[in-house]
Amino acid sequence: MADATIMLSICDPVQLVLIKTDTFSETTLVSSHFLEWRSVLGSEEGVTNLAVELLGVGSECKVSVGVLNIKLELYPHLKKSLPQEVINTQLTLERQKTAEKERLFLVYAKQWWREYLQIRPSHNSRLVKIFAQDENWVNRPVGSYIHPLRAGRLLDTPRQAARFVNVLGYERAPTVGGGGKQEQWCTLLAFLCRNKGDCEDHCNLLCSLLLGFGLDAYVCVGTKGKGQMHTWVMTCGTDGAITFWESLTGHRYVHVPINPDDPPLVEQPRPLYPYKTIGCIFNHKRFLANCQPLDSVEICVFDLNDESRWKPMSEEAIKSVCSPGSTTSLPPFPPLCCSLVDSAAESNDIELQLRVFVSEHRKDLGLATVWDDQLSYLLSPALAAYEIERITGISAGNEEFQDSIRRAVPDGHTFKGFPIHFVHRNARRAFATCLRSPFCDEIISCRGDQMRLAVRVRVFTYPESACAVWIMFACKYRSVL
């Protein structure tokens, strides 16, 4: 039998996420609600019914989207229910405790910020982000978005985790009217339910997964390119090596700082990463602001224990609002779900649709279409090699693929192939994108003697039904002078 007193001390709410999926499989986050479930502890039979008003997200967070009727029932049943007055008193005390913790942290954060500005006036323009709004426009400390996350047996390596995050869709937070980029960080559950999100959402998830793999990982806030605000992930090795992880592409970059005091005669390699400046870094335990004279990533020294270079926030203060079980922190994230997508069936379905689209397109051009099933099959190793390279950064199996193609293409014939990558499974949308590529369109619309076409699709599945879809179009024909 469950003990109601013990359960009353569990302050984590149940997060409900409402997603709308249209006919093109595009998802929209409709509502995100944190349900206080402990009223059921006061029910004699362990059953209670609730009517919950769900509100919108972002700029519509005050607009009702509907009422959800919920029946809550506890299993196993309680030994004895609690008086409703006891439950209400506990909830009131928790709210007061939460409000006091948030007030004290805000007071501390303001004092910390004043101290940071006193180091150097130019710090006022650096991207030091202490709070961020979630999908309900609630201001939260940025560290509360990070939770060390273990992927069980669904992801085997940190690089595979980076690939998983990379194949989740990228979509900037929606805006109403002008005024530039709308800030909206999503909780992990809302991000994964929607299967797409902004750059910050990808970084928070990747950082959480890398922490779960035992790495010392942080989210970096800075700029890239022409001063555009950007976030990425950084890991610190035990040997002091600094590695940047780009959450939107899965690329990794080793950071080698440039010494600005070296004489100009010494030629130093230019960095390959796109990052320009860095204002702060954080994870679930630490928050550090860059207080070096220049905030350029190129010359930045990542000795995080050197307080003359990195101004830390009190770890105790962060723990008070971000640690698991804290009433101010987000509820613990449930384990990742395995993919529900049948890779082979989905690959075959997309491939058959593409064959129909290609045949119809060529018919409109007055061209016949003859498919070469064997050539299509021979494209499979190339698609597998492309995905392995995205995960590991190592190219493998290219020699066997080239040898098989040479054997399949007779003397005097020309072979052309074009691979393309997607993170969605909409065949029509993928085909429209392919036609916009001059290289792909050249193959699909190719004319020639003994013309044969081939297409191969390979869907690689990841947790939460995320997918990497590789498509390769190819043709062979006899060369005529």
Side-chain angles (χ1 to χ4, degrees):
M1 301 287 283
D3 189 323
T5 307
I6 294 175
M7 297 198 70
L8 184 61
S9 66
I10 302 174
C11 61
D12 296 319
V14 175
Q15 186 177 3
L16 306 174
V17 175
L18 180 62
I19 299 292
K20 179 177 72 175
T21 305
D22 66 17
T23 53
F24 300 103
S25 300
E26 286 294 312
T27 56
T28 305
L29 177 62
V30 178
S31 181
S32 175
H33 180 83
F34 292 94
L35 174 70
E36 177 51 70
W37 56 272
R38 284 175 287 180
S39 61
V40 73
L41 299 176
S43 171
E44 289 291 339
E45 290 146 11
V47 181
T48 189
N49 293 287
L50 301 173
V52 177
E53 182 182 23
L54 299 181
L55 300 176
V57 295
S59 59
E60 299 177 6
C61 63
K62 303 296 183 185
V63 180
S64 176
V65 297
V67 175
L68 183 65
N69 294 312
I70 298 175
K71 178 182 178 182
L72 293 177
E73 186 169 358
L74 272 180
Y75 290 99
H77 293 297
L78 296 171
K79 297 177 185 175
K80 183 181 178 182
S81 62
L82 294 174
Q84 197 62 46
E85 297 79 22
V86 173
I87 297 173
N88 292 338
T89 301
Q90 173 71 15
L91 297 179
T92 301
L93 288 172
E94 284 181 6
R95 281 193 291 269
Q96 292 172 350
K97 184 179 176 183
T98 297
E100 181 62 11
K101 281 186 175 183
E102 290 177 344
R103 187 189 70 81
L104 290 174
F105 182 76
L106 183 58
V107 169
Y108 168 76
K110 287 180 176 179
Q111 176 60 30
W112 179 91
W113 177 246
R114 282 194 294 268
E115 292 172 0
Y116 181 65
L117 293 183
Q118 287 171 8
I119 298 173
R120 198 173 287 110
S122 61
H123 285 180
N124 191 44
S125 62
R126 294 194 179 181
L127 287 170
V128 178
K129 191 159 191 61
I130 304 172
F131 297 94
Q133 289 183 327
D134 67 8
E135 62 267 20
N136 294 323
W137 277 19
V138 174
N139 261 327
R140 299 182 184 276
V142 289
S144 65
Y145 292 88
I146 308 293
H147 306 269
L149 183 59
R150 286 164 51 173
R153 300 186 185 278
L154 301 179
L155 298 169
D156 298 319
T157 67
R159 296 192 187 192
Q160 192 178 20
R163 178 58 173 156
F164 159 57
V165 175
N166 159 223
V167 299
L168 292 169
Y170 170 63
E171 181 180 83
R172 297 181 65 175
T175 59
V176 178
K181 185 179 184 293
Q182 174 71 60
E183 180 192 76
Q184 180 182 304
W185 292 24
C186 276
T187 56
L188 283 181
L189 185 61
F191 172 44
L192 285 177
C193 287
R194 193 167 57 135
N195 243 236
K196 60 184 176 183
D198 214 331
C199 178
E200 294 85 359
D201 304 326
H202 287 78
C203 285
N204 292 336
L205 176 58
L206 177 56
C207 184
S208 298
L209 288 167
L210 296 182
L211 287 167
F213 276 109
L215 300 181
D216 188 20
Y218 301 84
V219 173
C220 302
V221 181
T223 62
K224 67 173 184 178
K226 299 177 179 178
Q228 179 186 359
M229 181 181 168
H230 190 62
T231 56
W232 64 97
V233 177
M234 176 185 83
T235 51
C236 305
T238 53
D239 59 353
I242 301 296
T243 305
F244 295 147
W245 303 65
E246 177 49 58
S247 64
L248 297 179
T249 64
H251 293 160
R252 298 166 65 255
Y253 308 97
V254 176
H255 175 258
V256 180
I258 294 174
N259 188 349
D261 297 327
D262 280 347
L265 294 176
V266 178
E267 185 176 346
Q268 304 200 45
R270 306 305 298 175
L272 297 175
Y273 48 77
Y275 318 121
K276 299 300 179 185
T277 66
I278 182 167
C280 66
I281 64 172
F282 66 89
N283 60 19
H284 63 305
K285 290 183 176 179
R286 303 180 73 188
F287 183 97
L288 302 107
N290 183 4
C291 52
Q292 298 169 60
L294 297 174
D295 60 355
S296 171
V297 177
E298 287 183 0
I299 61 175
C300 188
V301 176
F302 287 93
D303 180 359
L304 304 185
N305 296 317
D306 184 349
E307 294 192 12
S308 68
R309 290 189 167 104
W310 294 92
K311 180 172 174 58
M313 267 194 171
S314 161
E315 293 189 25
E316 283 301 313
I318 294 171
K319 184 179 180 182
S320 71
V321 291
C322 296
S323 62
S326 159
T327 51
T328 55
S329 68
L330 291 164
F333 185 75
L336 292 176
C337 297
C338 61
S339 179
L340 300 177
V341 177
D342 184 329
S343 174
E346 196 71 22
S347 301
N348 191 59
D349 183 54
I350 295 173
E351 191 172 304
L352 290 175
Q353 290 185 62
L354 289 176
R355 285 198 175 200
V356 172
F357 296 151
V358 170
S359 297
E360 290 176 349
H361 180 74
R362 289 178 60 83
K363 184 179 180 181
D364 291 341
L365 297 175
L367 301 172
T369 304
V370 181
W371 293 101
D372 188 325
D373 292 336
Q374 175 62 12
L375 183 60
S376 297
Y377 179 72
L378 296 183
L379 303 178
S380 296
L383 302 184
Y386 296 146
E387 185 61 20
I388 291 171
E389 185 175 1
R390 285 292 180 99
I391 297 172
T392 64
I394 300 169
S395 178
N398 193 45
E399 298 83 358
E400 293 87 351
F401 169 66
Q402 290 185 355
D403 187 65
S404 66
I405 294 299
R406 288 192 190 100
R407 293 175 179 277
V409 179
D411 290 341
H413 283 63
T414 297
F415 171 83
K416 293 179 180 179
F418 179 80
I420 192 166
H421 170 256
F422 298 96
V423 293
H424 62 79
R425 307 193 305 277
N426 188 316
R428 185 174 294 278
R429 191 169 135 205
F431 183 66
T433 303
C434 291
L435 288 180
R436 288 196 292 270
S437 165
F439 302 105
C440 191
D441 183 55
E442 182 182 341
I443 292 171
I444 293 173
S445 308
C446 192
R447 302 167 182 263
D449 186 24
Q450 298 181 24
M451 173 73 184
R452 298 292 182 270
L453 281 168
V455 62
R456 193 66 170 175
V457 176
R458 181 73 165 85
V459 176
F460 296 89
T461 58
Y462 288 90
E464 301 291 335
S465 297
C467 290
V469 180
W470 284 96
I471 300 172
M472 191 169 188
F473 290 98
C475 66
K476 64 177 182 179
Y477 57 91
R478 191 171 71 176
S479 304
V480 180
L481 295 177

